[in-house]
Amino acid sequence: MPSFSGQGLGCFRGGRLVFANLSFALQPGNALVLRGPNGSGKSTLLRLMAGLIQPLEGRIQWSDSDAGITDDPDLHYGRTHYVGHADAVKPVLTVTENVAFWARLRSPQSDVAGAIDKLGIAPLADVPGQFLSAGQKRRVNLARILAVPANLWLLDEPATALDVDAIAALCDAIAEHRAAGGMVVASTHQNLALTDHAVLHLSDYITEDPALV
Amino acid sequence: MIHRFANPTRFVRLADVIQPWAAGMTFLFFVTGLYFGLFASPADYQQGETVRIMYIHVPAAWMALFCYTAMAAACGTALIWKHPLADLAARATAPIGACFTLLALVTGSLWGQPMWGTWWVWDARLTSVLILFFLYLGYMALNNAFDDAERGFKASAILALVGFVNVPIIKFSVDWWNTLHQPASVLKAGGPAIHASMLTPLILMALAFKAYYLWVLLIRMRGEINAMKVRALRMRQVQQADMADKVAAGKVG
Amino acid sequence: MSSFITILSRDLKLAYRQGMDSVMVVMFFVIAVVLFPFGVGPEANILARIAAGVIWVAALLASMLSLERLFDADYEDGSLEILILQPITLEIAVAAKVTAHWLTTGLPLIIAAPVLAILLNLPADGFAVLISALALGTPSLSLIGAIGAALILGARRGGVLLSLLVLPLYIPVLIFGVSAVDAGLGGFPFKSHLLALGGLLLATLALCPWVSASALRQALRS
């Protein structure tokens, strides 16, 4: 199984250097939790890892590929699930249809019903998205990543709006994913009960911007 | 990679050298061009004194196309090589090009009234130049429509490249379609079909417009760079206030 | 190809369940055309003379009005971000969304056009040309419009901006669309105008999904 790492990352967003000289490495089964105050770049780092934005310097890559992730995006996108702040739940599609759409884009074989069941929203399977609460929408979004397996999960504040039961279900899903050799990077304020995870404090990488005069 | 800000300093130094020369050339060519155009050239046997409008109209129309081409080239450079100065150059060129286009349209209209007996005709060249004017306006509007300046640069760069298909259409419209507007007489195979006494002021005015463009472009680009620096300083203020908060509150984990 | 069908069927399902979009576009089209007899007077020969142009301009505006939501809804709820991160070709995803847009807006316009042509006294020999010209031209409108719709994502006053960007680019389609009908009415051969529309369609088909996709990537990277 390939590992995932980034070296010497610097990122420039909204006219300022968010962090510089940041490195990380993930082996199969590893989990990395990002911590830091608002604006320290947790979301930016996750978007960088997802391949949504490009680093100003440094590179992110898979151990079995010579190319950086943005040079070989299809390989990277196929291996990665990203959960951002927005849940992408369509109000007129049912829970099943919402999850199945994303699953079908990735693979003809997917376990939509199983994913919905794992997150405890099976009773809502036929309910259109417009009737769901924020926490339920978040669970639909998480069911999307359970339906088709991928090596790496990038979770931006995944526990937002989730109740205790749902957080437990999420932790179980993460544990199962890691047991199968998957990797997780999550930013979170709450304590997800993850076992033996590494922590990256982004406030260690905040830089005085050197070049702006 | 961080020459995003190192680059402009070099550019500003270069601009300091070029700018007075560009200004001097602009005045020199304008004075001589206007002298030849207004006094030292004959009136046309058909068009009379109105022919002198041509010395503004033709160079302005050339500049309208030239500026759009320059803008599209800068946009391509910005998108492919991500050179920060290219974004600024394209952004600075757009209003100048739009003014030249408007000037070409207005002078053409002033010339058309006595010559064709109408202020405006919907022939291929006039229409395509009008579309060029709209493309300039669209570019400028899109450039300023975002709170994030970077996003405005990129979106409008793509638009400028798409709109570039209009440039060859304008250039060759008078050859492809048989229209009221006369075909090219200066830049054509077999040498210019225009007398030297009229060609001299035309060339001088064209050079004056080019020098003027360069001069104003440099001024505008420096303005943009200064605006960028102001933005960066504001960001820094915010960031420093943030840091001070954190120090006051003890280190946050 | 399967991603094309997946996205197309999802967008059609969304349009069908939200319902109003197609109806609104056709209603706008009808009302805009019906305004003209009030504006220029009810003389049958004048209306017949301008019928083709009026129908084309109204179709163009109607198609443009619905464009604003082409990517915007997906942009706002985060779907677009996720779509870009799927192992699919974004150009194909754009082509699927544009196809859905044309099926839900362009096609109803073509169906409504003959009725409006009757209201404007368009002579009978113009009908077939008008329909074929619209059938060849409206997909180009959706394709060109997709570029504008992608460029305005996240902009202030996106709708007004969109018209400023897209309408100048619509002019070639309008010119050939109207001249085809005029040629048909005048008894001249109109095949070359329809071929020009077909050529425009092929060119936009090749170019627009690609440009829109890169505009979408730019929109989400900032």
Side-chain angles (χ1 to χ4, degrees), chain A residues 13 47 50-53 74 77-78 82 86-88 90 92-93 97 101-102 104-106 141 144, chain C residues 3 6-7 10 13-14 17-18 73-74 77-79 81-88 220-222:
Chain A
R13 305 296 298 161
R47 291 167 69 83
L52 264 177
I53 51 177
D74 279 346
Y77 295 162
Y82 169 77
D87 286 323
K90 289 287 171 198
V92 293
L93 298 184
E97 283 169 333
F101 167 68
W102 296 113
R104 211 173 305 137
L105 276 184
R106 287 193 159 240
N141 195 7
R144 167 177 72 84
Chain C
S3 61
T6 307
I7 295 170
R10 173 248 203 182
K13 204 185 281 177
L14 285 174
R17 294 201 190 154
Q18 277 158 351
D74 281 344
D77 71 8
S79 300
E81 193 173 71
I82 299 175
L83 192 68
I84 281 186
L85 294 177
Q86 301 306 313
I88 57 171
L220 287 164
R221 279 185 183 160
S222 47

Side-chain angles (χ1 to χ4, degrees), chain A residues 12 14 16 56 201 203 209 212, chain B residues 1 5 235-236 239 252-253:
Chain A
F12 192 86
R16 71 193 182 94
L56 182 69
H201 287 282
S203 43
D209 214 321
L212 304 180
Chain B
M1 273 298 274
F5 291 98
M235 289 288 179
R236 207 173 145 87
Q239 210 173 3
V252 185

Side-chain angles (χ1 to χ4, degrees), chain C residues 103-169:
Chain C
L103 287 174
T104 51
T105 61
L107 202 57
L109 292 184
I110 297 175
I111 295 167
V115 182
L116 294 172
I118 291 171
L119 289 182
L120 294 180
N121 295 308
L122 186 81
D125 23 336
F127 275 61
V129 198
L130 178 68
I131 303 298
S132 3
L134 282 171
L136 283 169
T138 46
S140 296
L141 298 183
S142 294
L143 281 161
I144 296 171
I147 297 180
L151 287 176
I152 59 152
L153 288 179
R156 291 174 246 120
R157 296 179 304 277
V160 187
L161 191 59
L162 182 69
S163 53
L164 190 58
L165 306 186
V166 163
L167 288 180
L169 300 174

Side-chain angles (χ1 to χ4, degrees), chain A residues 44-143:
Chain A
T44 304
L45 181 56
L46 281 164
R47 291 167 69 83
L48 213 58
M49 290 177 180
L52 264 177
I53 51 177
Q54 289 196 325
L56 182 69
E57 52 188 4
R59 75 198 250 120
I60 305 177
Q61 70 187 88
W62 289 91
S63 61
D64 60 348
S65 166
D66 292 332
I69 54 168
T70 44
D71 300 320
D72 189 359
D74 279 346
L75 172 89
H76 180 61
Y77 295 162
R79 287 178 174 179
T80 314
H81 275 311
Y82 169 77
V83 175
H85 292 291
D87 286 323
V89 175
K90 289 287 171 198
V92 293
L93 298 184
T94 66
V95 168
T96 308
E97 283 169 333
N98 268 301
V99 177
F101 167 68
W102 296 113
R104 211 173 305 137
L105 276 184
R106 287 193 159 240
S107 141
Q109 290 102 37
S110 56
D111 184 16
V112 174
I116 290 175
D117 190 44
K118 261 184 214 155
L119 284 162
I121 41 176
L124 301 172
D126 295 326
V127 176
Q130 55 195 327
F131 300 109
L132 301 182
S133 70
Q136 289 163 336
K137 281 183 186 164
R138 177 42 59 113
R139 287 197 249 182
V140 172
N141 195 7
L142 290 168

Side-chain angles (χ1 to χ4, degrees), chain B residues 64 68 71 94 97-102 105 120 122 126-143 156 159-160 163-164 166 170, chain C residues 160-172 174:
Chain B
Y68 198 92
M71 192 172 91
C99 287
F100 279 128
T101 314
L102 190 63
L105 286 170
W120 184 263
W122 289 99
L126 273 70
T127 311
S128 51
V129 172
L130 186 65
I131 296 174
L132 183 71
F133 184 60
F134 291 148
L135 287 174
Y136 274 120
L137 294 186
Y139 175 89
M140 288 189 281
L142 191 60
N143 210 318
S156 52
L159 179 74
F164 189 68
N166 194 34
I170 298 175
Chain C
V160 187
L161 191 59
L162 182 69
S163 53
L164 190 58
L165 306 186
V166 163
L167 288 180
L169 300 174
Y170 275 177
I171 290 173
L174 180 65

Side-chain angles (χ1 to χ4, degrees), chain C residues 31-134:
Chain C
I31 290 173
V33 170
V34 166
L35 284 179
F36 277 83
F38 297 107
V40 299
E43 288 88 353
N45 54 340
I46 295 180
L47 289 178
R49 174 72 199 79
I50 62 169
V54 168
I55 289 175
W56 260 103
V57 171
L60 202 127
L61 294 175
S63 155
M64 191 196 69
L65 279 181
S66 56
L67 274 171
E68 200 189 340
R69 298 297 288 167
L70 179 58
F71 298 117
D72 199 52
D74 281 344
Y75 179 75
E76 275 169 10
D77 71 8
S79 300
L80 204 54
E81 193 173 71
I82 299 175
L83 192 68
I84 281 186
L85 294 177
Q86 301 306 313
I88 57 171
T89 315
L90 190 57
E91 285 76 8
I92 290 181
V94 170
K97 291 192 77 69
V98 173
T99 309
H101 176 262
W102 182 75
L103 287 174
T104 51
T105 61
L107 202 57
L109 292 184
I110 297 175
I111 295 167
V115 182
L116 294 172
I118 291 171
L119 289 182
L120 294 180
N121 295 308
L122 186 81
D125 23 336
F127 275 61
V129 198
L130 178 68
I131 303 298
S132 3
L134 282 171

Side-chain angles (χ1 to χ4, degrees), chain B residues 13-34:
Chain B
R13 233 178 296 139
L14 192 65
D16 279 336
V17 179
I18 301 175
Q19 209 174 308
W21 284 95
M25 301 285 245
T26 308
F27 283 111
L28 181 71
F29 285 126
F30 257 124
V31 171
T32 52
L34 286 175

